[in-house]
């Protein structure tokens, strides 16, 4: 029996049947997932779509569900009193009497966390600010605001057919001890098994030890390793390339990789290596808000994309990729006129090969 500090983990280890990597999860034909729901918030952006709905909120999740997407992706952290909450940033910022203060999310208890932003009762909560990567602090103003939420809220209040890609969120600058990781993962798994029902769930994490541990703790849900694909360099070498990501997956029995799309475009040869390893490949990043970049990934054999502009990209995918009739032939290159879609580019194999050589050079510019 596997236990830690008196907690029995045999439930998680036996909750699902043991499955091999290839059979654990059947990927949709080409998966589209909404990033933090209906898209992340970029408060300094001049594009109103990036400030339309509060990210990582029930409102954002259900707004995304109105479009033909397969999953939503969101970030889960665990509070000091062991409650999984949905929030991206490591720190939560607020202002009180002209003084700005910040608190680490994982050092708050649930009641403290939920005090920030609009409250479910309709009253105002503590102000919510956000720090940009450049260090500028902005008011978290969006067109449609919503309260902060827990993982349990999401399972209970979001359209039940919508899959959840749960990113296990950890701070890049902290070296975590295994006992802490196990406590956090145990809290998250408890909520998933208690409230998940038949909802499709994928776990993912940039933290390699967390990804490996959540795979050891359960065999019901697929686990993907998140990587920048070499676009950023970290102290942990496992995070620094697609080749390293493949090693992590194969050594830990993970089901796939989620890479920054630029990492894939810089190194398109890695796609075949990933496929040869019988791993699934998804991508995230700003380029996934460009329909042509998404279509190129489809041609490269990538299994799906995580996007901010959910409406625009789902429409583009429907036009460019998906057959007009369900159950048609496997390849869009085959079949009769009924499978033709508007604005679909046609590439010869030579032209596609040329593009795959050109794109890495363009990405380096």
């Amino acid at each position: 029996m596997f236990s830690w500090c008196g907690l029995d983990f045999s439930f998680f280890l036996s909750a699902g049947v043991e499955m091999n990597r290839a059979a654990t999860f059947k990927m949709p034909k080409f998966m589209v997932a909404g990033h933090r729901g209906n898209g992340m918030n970029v408060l300094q952006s001049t594009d109103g779509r990036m400030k339309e709905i509060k990210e990582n909120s029930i409102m954002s999740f259900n707004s995304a569900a109105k479009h033909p997407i397969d999953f939503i992706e969101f970030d889960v952290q665990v509070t000091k009193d062991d409650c999984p909450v949905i929030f991206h940033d490591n720190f939560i910022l607020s202002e009180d009497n002209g003084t700005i203060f910040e608190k680490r999310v994982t050092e708050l208890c649930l009641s403290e966390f939920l005090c920030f932003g609009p409250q479910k009762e309709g009253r105002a909560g503590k102000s919510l600010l956000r720090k940009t990567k450049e260090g500028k602090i902005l008011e978290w103003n969006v067109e449609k605001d919503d309260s902060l939420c827990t993982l349990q809220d999401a399972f209970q209040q979001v359209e039940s057919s919508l899959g959840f890609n749960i990113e296990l969120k950890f701070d890049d600058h902290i070296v975590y001890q295994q006992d802490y990781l196990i406590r956090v993962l145990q809290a998250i798994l408890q909520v998933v098994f208690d409230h998940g029902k038949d909802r499709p769930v994928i776990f993912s994490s940039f933290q390699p030890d967390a990804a490996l541990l959540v795979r050891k703790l359960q065999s019901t849900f697929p686990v993907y390793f998140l990587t920048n694909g070499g676009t950023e360099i970290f102290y942990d070498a496992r995070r620094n390339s697609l080749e390293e990501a493949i090693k992590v997956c194969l050594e830990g029995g993970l089901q796939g990789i989620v890479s920054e799309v630029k990492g894939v475009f810089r190194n398109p040869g890695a796609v075949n290596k990933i496929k040869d390893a019988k791993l699934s490949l998804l991508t995230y990043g700003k380029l996934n808000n460009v329909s042509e970049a998404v279509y190129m990934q489809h041609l490269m054999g990538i299994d799906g994309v995580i996007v901010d502009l959910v409406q625009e990209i789902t429409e583009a995918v429907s036009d460019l990729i998906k057959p007009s009739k369900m159950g048609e032939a496997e390849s869009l290159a085959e079949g009769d006129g009924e499978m033709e879609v508007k604005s679909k580019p046609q590439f010869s194999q030579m032209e596609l090969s040329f593009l795959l050589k050109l794109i890495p050079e363009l990405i380096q510019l």
Side-chain angles (χ1 to χ4, degrees):
M1 180 183 295
F2 178 39
S3 64
W4 172 78
C5 291
L7 297 172
D8 180 9
F9 283 86
S10 59
F11 166 71
F12 300 116
L13 295 171
S14 62
V17 297
E18 188 63 39
M19 304 179 191
N20 62 39
R21 188 184 311 117
T24 303
F25 174 65
K26 183 173 175 57
M27 186 66 65
K29 174 66 74 175
F30 184 79
M31 189 182 99
V32 178
H35 187 212
R36 305 182 200 171
N38 202 52
M40 69 182 289
N41 294 151
V42 183
L43 302 178
Q44 67 272 32
S45 175
T46 57
D47 187 340
R49 295 173 298 181
M50 307 305 288
K51 297 176 283 189
E52 182 181 359
I53 306 174
K54 171 70 72 61
E55 70 175 37
N56 278 336
S57 67
I58 300 298
M59 182 188 296
S60 184
F61 299 157
N62 282 325
S63 177
K66 296 176 183 177
H67 303 285
I69 62 172
D70 305 290
F71 279 76
I72 52 172
E73 179 272 352
F74 53 78
D75 312 274
V76 172
Q77 304 183 58
V78 173
T79 60
K80 185 170 61 175
D81 51 350
D82 293 334
C83 183
V85 296
I86 301 177
F87 197 77
H88 174 270
D89 299 358
N90 296 316
F91 292 91
I92 199 162
L93 277 73
S94 187
E95 183 178 2
D96 186 22
N97 293 325
T99 301
I100 295 174
F101 63 90
E102 64 179 13
K103 294 185 178 181
R104 185 177 290 277
V105 172
T106 54
E107 294 177 356
L108 299 171
C109 64
L110 177 62
S111 59
E112 291 173 311
F113 172 77
L114 293 177
C115 282
F116 295 94
Q119 301 297 291
K120 292 180 179 178
E121 302 82 6
R123 58 187 175 82
K126 294 181 180 179
S127 66
L128 193 57
L129 311 176
R130 191 173 214 180
K131 184 182 290 186
T132 68
K133 286 186 176 181
E134 295 75 32
K136 187 175 181 180
I137 296 176
L138 303 171
E139 292 186 18
W140 202 323
N141 292 329
V142 291
E143 184 179 332
K144 300 175 184 176
D145 211 345
D146 198 13
S147 56
L148 302 181
C149 65
T150 67
L151 180 59
Q152 182 174 332
D153 290 336
F155 276 111
Q156 294 176 334
Q157 299 175 36
V158 175
E159 166 61 43
S160 61
S161 63
L162 190 61
F164 284 177
N165 174 6
I166 299 174
E167 180 183 338
L168 308 168
K169 182 75 176 179
F170 296 93
D171 191 325
D172 289 338
H173 305 292
I174 293 177
V175 178
Y176 292 95
Q177 299 300 311
Q178 187 179 68
D179 57 352
Y180 176 81
L181 292 176
I182 290 175
R183 180 178 69 81
V184 167
L185 297 175
Q186 187 268 345
I188 294 170
L189 287 170
Q190 189 72 58
V191 172
V192 174
F193 280 115
D194 285 351
H195 302 282
K197 298 182 180 178
D198 296 325
R199 188 188 299 271
V201 172
I202 296 172
F203 290 114
S204 63
S205 186
F206 284 104
Q207 220 292 342
D209 295 321
L212 294 169
L213 270 173
V214 79
R215 176 58 178 156
K216 289 179 180 178
L217 291 174
Q218 59 82 44
S219 57
T220 304
F221 305 108
V223 180
Y224 282 53
F225 182 44
L226 269 161
T227 177
N228 297 83
T231 59
E232 293 182 55
I233 300 300
F234 298 88
Y235 72 92
D236 190 331
R238 294 174 295 178
R239 299 187 57 181
N240 289 340
S241 71
L242 289 169
E243 286 75 14
E244 286 292 331
I246 294 171
K247 290 181 186 178
V248 171
C249 291
L250 294 181
E251 291 171 4
L254 309 189
Q255 284 72 31
I257 294 168
V258 185
S259 174
E260 216 293 344
V261 59
K262 287 184 178 179
V264 175
F265 280 154
R266 284 181 176 181
N267 184 12
V271 176
N272 284 337
K273 295 177 184 177
I274 292 167
K275 293 301 174 182
D276 289 344
K278 294 183 168 42
L279 297 169
S280 174
L281 175 60
L282 309 176
T283 67
Y284 72 92
K286 291 180 182 179
L287 279 175
N288 281 354
N289 295 320
V290 179
S291 59
E292 292 82 0
V294 171
Y295 183 60
M296 191 67 198
Q297 292 176 73
H298 169 67
L299 294 178
M300 292 169 68
I302 291 166
D303 296 300
V305 290
I306 299 170
V307 308
D308 292 303
L309 304 182
V310 172
Q311 178 177 345
E312 291 81 349
I313 298 302
T314 53
E315 289 175 354
V317 166
S318 179
D319 290 342
L320 292 170
I321 295 171
K322 292 187 176 178
S324 58
K325 288 188 176 183
M326 297 298 291
E328 294 277 6
E330 285 288 289
S331 172
L332 285 176
E334 301 173 358
D336 54 28
E338 291 181 332
M339 291 189 64
E340 291 298 315
V341 290
K342 66 180 182 180
S343 303
K344 178 182 172 184
Q346 300 292 331
F347 296 111
S348 68
Q349 195 59 45
M350 184 178 295
E351 288 169 333
L352 184 57
S353 177
F354 173 77
L355 285 171
L356 290 176
K357 292 178 181 177
L358 176 63
I359 289 173
E361 300 301 322
L362 295 176
I363 291 294
Q364 301 289 349
L365 296 176

